[in-house]
Amino acid sequence: MPAGPSRADGAPGALRPSRPAHWGRYPAAMVQPAPGPGGEGAALPARDGPALRVSGLTKRFGDRAAFEDVSFEVARGEVFGFLGPNGAGKTTTVRTLGTLIAPTSGSAEVAGLPLSPQNGEAIRRRISVMPENPGLYSRLTVRENLELFASLYGLRSPGERIAGALDAVRLADRSEDRCGRLSKGLRQRVGLARALLNDPEVIFLDEPTSGLDPVAAGEVHDLINGWRQRGVTVFLTTHRLAEAERLCDRVAILNTRLRSVGSPKDLRASLFGGSLVVETATPLPDPRAVFAGVAAVMEWTEGGNGTYLLSVADPRQAAPQVARAVVAAGADLISLAESQHSLEDVYLQLIDDDGSAPR
Amino acid sequence: MSGPDLGRLLAMTRKEAREFRRTPFILGAMVVLPVIFIIEPLIDIFRLGSSTPASAVQKVVGVTFLLMLIVPAVLPSTIAAYSVIGERDQGTLEPLLTTPVRRSELLLGKALAAMIPSVLVSYVIFGVVLLCAHLFAANQTVVATLSNGPEILAEVLFAPLLSGWSIAVGTGISARASDVRIAQQLGTLASLPPLAVTALVSFQVLTPSVPVAVGFGLGFLVIDIAMWRVVAAMFDRERLITGARALAAGGGGGGGRPPGTVRRIQMVQEGDHE
């Protein structure tokens, strides 16, 4: 059984906070389980195992598959990125796991409960979903919007929860403003405050930074990091690959079918292997002879002007051998560096592998 | 399965009421319609002389009762027609449906918010017309007819029941329509047929009596309940969100799996659960 990714310091999401300490956190009072009316909350089974377990999940609309045979697990407390081109099925997956639509086949567990019509209400108590459009009542104030959702979740002490959520997104001073008069960034923050109200085990965020300026997007990132520190599981769909690389412990790349799952680092290593970029002062007279003599070099290509790209299994092990070989060949070594691939490279490679344009 | 949760139901009603108060169209309708439906019948009543023939008086009374019932029949349908499609248009339906709110709570909450003001407005109009007729009408026959017990009973019973029909139809149309204005127009049209039945009583084609009023009231009640069952069945989360009906419900079933194409990454523990 997967134990989930390690949460070592230095993981992509472990960023130094650049905002006030309270940003992304909310009072301990808000961490109490939300009791359901009629005591429904009390009857819920114990929370162990992964936050999400998806197995062979498929959703079809007629002949068209929105997503097909999707399987993955998300550990509790993990920030899991869900990437894919437009129409890849990301939003439909979120809606399916959020109990809004029924899968055609396959199975899933959400927050410890099997995804089934019977469990819909119980699952919805344990999760929050923020769609791309936060969906606020524009004629109601920020507080009134949150009051509605606090009541729908049957929260005790809704006033405290609302105050805590507003503090967490730094909107306490805008609570009496009508949502229709807020900027997109502020509306997004209200949506995030709403997502916090029921103290969810799993938060689904569908493109939470779509249309936001870098500062506003950075604030959302800080909030997500705050949740990570509290052990909340975040399921994040995004088009921003740099965002996913920065925030997510692992990412899945979907193009109707799941193309890959792993940490950004593992995906890079798996897809591109290791590579070294060698630059010499002048082109090597016989590069074939130089690199063939280094056992660690699997392939090499010439980039021109004394630049060579070498495929290696382990760049750290291969680099000294390559350096010695180049120097032994009488060349002046200008630089020797590990080639860096971004998550974007991984993404584009996987999507290109499908051999067709995104749906 | 327990019944609707009162807290969630009232939360929906409160939210709707707040929105109505801040929606000029609805607020305007709530103010303008009563004024029209008070002034118009009073003019007719005040024009009746003391010696106006009974048939003419009955005609005025019939029109008056009918006008009284137009408000609970038409006004809530306009509001209800906006209720679901309006949520969808402003993108609030999806977050709403991801909360534990049940279909019954959502629909009843919205229905109450549309019904309570409509019925209250209808009763206020009727009360004001009755009071003004008592105080100022020259024709005493019209006062006596307006104060007729079965007529009043029919008014009191029919107003909420017509409103119930109207809201059910409006909500049903709203759940399936793709445009607010079309939904409102269709809702208004669909709310009118029951008025034909009330017209039979108002114009004494059917002699107003307590059994007739109660009988028709019960008939409306049965129709309302049936209509609400139909509307509740039409309120399908998946269809509302995606515009498509669920082809295979029952998530959690272990459907057959085609050969997997997932590219596994060596260092990621993804395979154990399969």
Side-chain angles (χ1 to χ4, degrees):
Chain A
M1 188 58 61
S6 65
R7 306 291 302 281
D9 291 339
L15 300 172
R16 286 182 298 278
S18 56
R19 313 281 170 203
H22 73 278
W23 176 248
R25 299 177 186 166
Y26 44 105
M30 294 186 67
V31 188
Q32 308 295 324
E40 288 160 76
L44 298 176
R47 277 94 150 140
D48 48 10
L52 291 172
R53 177 183 286 149
V54 176
S55 179
L57 207 65
T58 297
K59 178 63 187 178
R60 291 185 169 278
F61 295 104
D63 293 335
R64 188 180 68 82
F67 59 84
E68 195 162 20
D69 193 30
V70 170
S71 301
F72 60 85
E73 289 190 10
V74 179
R76 289 182 184 271
E78 186 175 0
V79 178
F80 188 81
F82 209 53
L83 315 176
N86 291 328
K90 303 186 299 295
T91 297
T92 307
T93 305
V94 169
R95 286 171 171 172
T96 304
L97 297 177
T99 75
L100 284 173
I101 59 181
T104 306
S105 63
S107 63
E109 278 182 26
V110 181
L113 294 170
L115 183 66
S116 68
Q118 295 73 28
N119 285 335
E121 190 177 328
I123 289 173
R124 289 194 287 273
R125 283 186 190 289
R126 295 182 177 188
I127 65 171
S128 274
V129 181
M130 195 182 91
E132 184 175 352
N133 168 8
L136 304 171
Y137 295 98
S138 57
R139 292 192 179 91
L140 303 189
T141 66
V142 171
R143 180 176 299 283
E144 288 167 345
N145 266 278
L146 297 184
E147 279 172 358
L148 168 67
F149 282 82
S151 300
L152 295 180
Y153 281 110
L155 301 183
R156 288 179 194 155
S157 315
E160 281 178 32
R161 293 276 186 127
I162 290 168
L166 286 172
D167 278 343
V169 298
R170 295 193 305 174
L171 273 178
D173 58 335
R174 306 296 297 268
S175 63
E176 301 309 322
D177 289 6
R178 286 197 192 178
C179 287
R181 294 176 188 157
L182 299 178
S183 67
K184 182 168 172 57
L186 291 181
R187 284 204 299 271
Q188 209 77 357
R189 278 156 65 175
V190 179
L192 291 166
R194 185 183 61 201
L196 290 173
L197 279 176
N198 62 324
D199 192 29
E201 293 178 35
V202 184
I203 299 181
F204 293 91
L205 302 175
D206 194 359
E207 306 281 355
T209 56
S210 170
L212 297 188
D213 64 53
V215 174
E219 290 176 346
V220 173
H221 294 169
D222 289 343
L223 193 58
I224 293 171
N225 275 319
W227 293 342
R228 178 210 305 279
Q229 287 161 18
R230 283 191 47 240
V232 177
T233 308
V234 179
F235 188 94
L236 171 75
T237 76
T238 181
H239 278 118
R240 296 187 178 193
L241 300 172
E243 175 177 271
E245 185 147 26
R246 185 180 166 198
L247 286 175
C248 299
D249 299 307
R250 289 189 306 148
V251 297
I253 297 176
L254 182 77
N255 196 10
T256 305
R257 283 172 176 265
L258 202 61
R259 300 292 292 112
S260 199
V261 184
S263 71
K265 183 182 168 191
D266 295 338
L267 291 179
R268 278 193 297 266
S270 167
L271 211 57
F272 296 106
S275 52
L276 292 172
V277 180
V278 178
E279 189 181 357
T280 53
T282 54
L284 295 169
D286 186 4
R288 184 190 305 270
V290 175
F291 299 129
V294 182
V297 175
M298 298 182 289
E299 289 177 9
W300 64 274
T301 54
E302 191 164 357
N305 293 328
T307 304
Y308 305 90
L309 182 65
L310 315 182
S311 292
V312 297
D314 183 349
R316 292 180 66 85
Q317 190 183 29
Q321 298 174 30
V322 170
R324 281 195 293 272
V326 170
V327 171
D332 293 330
L333 185 60
I334 302 294
S335 70
L336 176 58
E338 186 176 356
S339 173
Q340 295 294 320
H341 289 278
S342 67
L343 185 58
E344 186 171 353
D345 298 327
V346 173
Y347 175 89
L348 292 174
Q349 178 70 46
L350 287 171
I351 298 303
D352 284 349
D353 277 355
D354 284 347
S356 60
R359 268 145 284 259
Chain B
M1 188 74 170
S2 54
D5 175 77
L6 194 61
R8 291 196 293 242
L9 194 156
L10 292 180
M12 282 307 304
T13 303
R14 196 163 47 241
K15 186 277 288 181
E16 292 282 304
R18 280 173 168 163
E19 284 208 295
F20 294 165
R21 283 207 309 269
R22 293 165 195 171
T23 306
F25 167 73
I26 293 175
L27 208 58
M30 292 278 189
V31 173
V32 173
L33 280 181
V35 171
I36 292 171
F37 287 113
I38 285 173
I39 291 173
E40 206 284 330
L42 281 179
I43 290 172
D44 287 344
I45 289 168
F46 292 158
R47 284 161 102 182
L48 293 172
S50 54
S51 57
T52 305
S55 61
V57 170
Q58 188 53 51
K59 189 179 167 190
V60 167
V61 171
V63 170
T64 302
F65 275 117
L66 200 57
L67 287 176
M68 304 291 105
L69 291 173
I70 284 179
V71 170
V74 173
L75 187 58
S77 79
T78 311
I79 298 171
Y82 179 77
S83 62
V84 180
I85 195 170
E87 297 264 7
R88 201 161 51 192
D89 271 7
Q90 60 178 332
T92 49
L93 192 59
E94 190 166 342
L96 194 61
L97 293 179
T98 56
T99 69
V101 71
R102 292 177 189 162
R103 181 169 55 185
S104 58
E105 293 156 357
L106 199 149
L107 291 175
L108 280 175
K110 284 177 171 289
L112 275 181
M115 180 184 274
I116 291 170
S118 305
V119 172
L120 281 179
V121 164
S122 166
Y123 287 166
V124 167
I125 293 172
F126 187 64
V128 170
V129 168
L130 206 58
L131 183 67
C132 289
H134 269 283
L135 292 176
F136 307 115
N139 188 304
Q140 288 310 301
T141 311
V142 78
V143 176
T145 314
L146 282 172
S147 310
N148 189 18
E151 300 268 16
I152 294 176
L153 182 65
E155 174 72 26
V156 169
L157 284 179
F158 289 179
L161 294 170
L162 282 175
S163 174
W165 161 272
S166 172
I167 293 166
V169 168
T171 306
I173 290 171
S174 188
R176 290 297 170 96
S178 56
D179 182 88
V180 174
R181 276 172 296 186
I182 290 173
Q184 287 178 327
Q185 286 160 3
L186 288 175
T188 304
L189 276 178
S191 65
L192 293 176
L195 280 176
V197 179
T198 64
L200 296 177
V201 180
S202 298
F203 291 108
Q204 297 202 323
V205 175
L206 292 169
T207 308
S209 65
V210 171
V212 167
V214 171
F216 272 98
L218 284 174
F220 275 134
L221 186 62
V222 170
I223 291 169
D224 279 2
I225 291 170
M227 191 63 203
W228 270 105
R229 285 181 181 275
V230 171
V231 170
M234 288 165 71
F235 194 87
D236 173 58
R237 282 173 193 260
E238 179 158 342
R239 182 161 195 149
L240 290 169
I241 294 296
T242 64
R245 202 171 8 174
L247 292 175
R257 290 185 56 191
T261 57
V262 178
R263 182 194 297 235
R264 296 284 183 245
I265 301 304
Q266 284 183 341
M267 296 174 67
V268 179
Q269 301 153 313
E270 274 293 317
D272 295 355
H273 64 282
E274 291 190 341

